[in-house]
Amino acid sequence: MVKLPISETALKYYEETGYKFSYKEQAHLCYRYIPGLLERNKALREILEESDDEELNKDIRMMAEYEINAYRMFMDNKEGKCVYTLEIICRHSEHRYIFTTMEAAVEFVDRWVLDDYRIEKKRLFDGCDETDSDNMSTFTFKRGEPDEIIEYWSGEYDDVFNYDPREHGPFEERFDNIFMNVDCPFELGDIVKAPDKCYPVIVLCDRNIFHERYEEVRKHDWGNIIMTLDYEDNLIPVLDYRNDFSITYVRPFDLEKFNPNKEDFSESFYDDLSYISKMVRCRFNMDTIKTSIEVGQRYRHEFGNE
């Protein structure tokens, strides 16, 4: 089985419970959780070498070929008829540079760019032309070793490669959009960390949240409307204690169990977090939890224990 791009906590849970991901589920996780286009493409091709699901293989092959060929065309300067515009993605300022080749842009990035960046490919014009000048490509990169292509759009390749995913079954059934009816790797009250947050949050659901969601859709009679679940339904609610007890929805497969020994938080913060976790497990409502924490914080402030 290909190395799955899910958290160590999630991977350990599924290994301990003996759950075996199907090739379709493996392809889904690789496509959705590997941020870099090239690494994602490599993983999908590894699945192709093992999978005997012909329909799935056809979809994977089309997606993999589309992405890698869009990338190759982006790198091709069409005999010097294009330029590459580099935009550095920075909160406080905006910088743009123009290069005649992708190699020159990459060299500049390697020497001077520390932030994430976006490179657009533009066609040069000396006069009127029927070709749409904006119908080219945009690739967004995240700094790393090597840099990862985390987002792309290709207009120049769409007319060449006839990829129409609608020909291959409903949107919800394609490997890149399926709903995964599996156990949630976390349970109510778990303290976890998400990749995009520098502080922990608390899980507000049970392990069977996805099974319940699946059964809820199945048992209803929607008349002529066919209700289905897809990728966006594999979200779980978490409590963001530092953001005024707000509830947000995140993807559980890349969450890690919070380890207080490896994090630099104040003792009072972790005490509050542990207390909230216990109250969540006991199924107290949010108003009660919030009031209890606020009373505790006022007490610490008044008596100098914070």
Side-chain angles (χ1 to χ4, degrees):
M1 185 174 75
V2 65
K3 180 176 172 54
L4 295 176
I6 60 179
S7 70
E8 289 298 321
T9 305
L11 188 61
K12 182 180 179 181
Y13 172 76
Y14 292 118
E15 287 178 347
E16 290 178 347
T17 57
Y19 186 80
K20 302 294 184 183
F21 289 99
S22 67
Y23 288 121
K24 193 170 189 176
E25 289 172 333
Q26 291 178 47
H28 174 81
L29 291 170
C30 288
Y31 185 82
R32 289 297 181 180
Y33 289 90
I34 296 179
L37 181 151
L38 300 180
E39 283 299 311
R40 179 170 69 236
N41 200 275
K42 179 182 177 182
L44 290 177
R45 293 184 183 279
E46 287 179 13
I47 294 173
L48 275 178
E49 294 178 359
E50 299 181 13
S51 171
D52 56 0
D53 184 336
E54 289 304 320
E55 190 63 30
L56 170 64
N57 293 351
K58 183 177 180 181
D59 284 346
I60 291 177
R61 195 173 292 111
M62 290 191 69
M63 181 69 76
E65 288 180 359
Y66 176 85
E67 289 199 328
I68 198 65
N69 286 329
Y71 169 75
R72 287 170 178 166
M73 183 168 281
F74 171 75
M75 299 294 288
D76 181 6
N77 196 1
K78 295 185 179 297
E79 300 177 349
K81 296 179 180 179
C82 300
V83 294
Y84 293 91
T85 303
L86 167 67
E87 176 187 355
I88 301 174
I89 304 173
C90 182
R91 292 182 180 180
H92 307 293
S93 60
E94 182 176 303
H95 302 281
R96 290 179 181 271
Y97 304 89
I98 298 176
F99 302 88
T100 55
T101 66
M102 184 62 182
E103 289 76 13
V106 170
E107 182 179 354
F108 181 89
V109 166
D110 288 342
R111 293 185 63 181
W112 305 109
V113 178
L114 299 177
D115 300 291
D116 296 343
Y117 58 96
R118 178 181 300 112
I119 298 180
E120 294 185 354
K121 186 178 182 182
K122 300 287 187 180
R123 187 176 283 109
L124 292 170
F125 289 91
D126 291 327
C128 296
D129 195 306
E130 295 180 357
T131 307
D132 181 4
S133 61
D134 293 325
N135 192 32
M136 295 296 286
S137 297
T138 301
F139 280 67
T140 305
F141 298 78
K142 182 179 180 64
R143 290 311 321 244
E145 296 294 342
D147 292 359
E148 298 173 336
I149 301 167
I150 58 171
E151 184 180 300
Y152 76 96
W153 174 84
S154 178
E156 61 177 336
Y157 193 65
D158 288 348
D159 293 335
V160 179
F161 189 78
N162 186 23
Y163 175 65
D164 186 359
R166 292 171 298 181
E167 295 179 356
H168 304 282
F171 175 83
E172 298 82 2
E173 294 180 8
R174 288 188 357 233
F175 76 90
D176 51 321
N177 292 297
I178 58 170
F179 171 75
M180 294 184 61
N181 186 21
V182 298
D183 287 356
C184 173
F186 300 94
E187 58 187 344
L188 186 70
D190 278 351
I191 304 174
V192 298
K193 287 199 69 176
D196 59 341
K197 287 186 180 294
C198 59
Y199 54 86
V201 293
I202 299 172
V203 174
L204 296 178
C205 68
D206 295 305
R207 291 199 189 276
N208 61 349
I209 180 174
F210 298 137
H211 301 305
E212 290 180 346
R213 201 168 285 170
Y214 180 75
E215 292 301 325
E216 186 69 19
V217 169
R218 286 189 60 190
K219 74 178 183 180
H220 278 85
D221 182 6
W222 304 96
N224 294 328
I225 301 175
I226 300 175
M227 292 294 294
T228 54
L229 296 166
D230 61 24
Y231 162 67
E232 293 298 332
D233 294 299
N234 277 130
L235 298 172
I236 64 170
V238 295
L239 178 63
D240 191 339
Y241 159 53
R242 294 192 67 175
N243 189 20
D244 195 29
F245 286 82
S246 62
I247 297 176
T248 58
Y249 286 81
V250 300
R251 308 194 187 285
F253 305 113
D254 56 359
L255 300 179
E256 289 285 7
K257 204 77 170 283
F258 176 63
N259 186 343
N261 298 323
K262 295 183 178 181
E263 304 291 344
D264 186 21
F265 293 102
S266 68
E267 184 178 347
S268 61
F269 172 73
Y270 186 64
D271 286 345
D272 284 348
L273 205 63
S274 299
Y275 186 54
I276 294 171
S277 172
K278 292 175 183 177
M279 295 187 77
V280 168
R281 291 184 193 277
C282 293
R283 302 185 185 274
F284 283 87
N285 64 52
M286 284 300 117
D287 290 336
T288 301
I289 295 174
K290 186 174 182 180
T291 301
S292 180
I293 291 298
E294 289 173 348
V295 169
Q297 289 175 339
R298 285 198 298 269
Y299 179 87
R300 288 200 303 266
H301 179 72
E302 291 174 5
F303 291 92
N305 294 325
E306 188 154 41

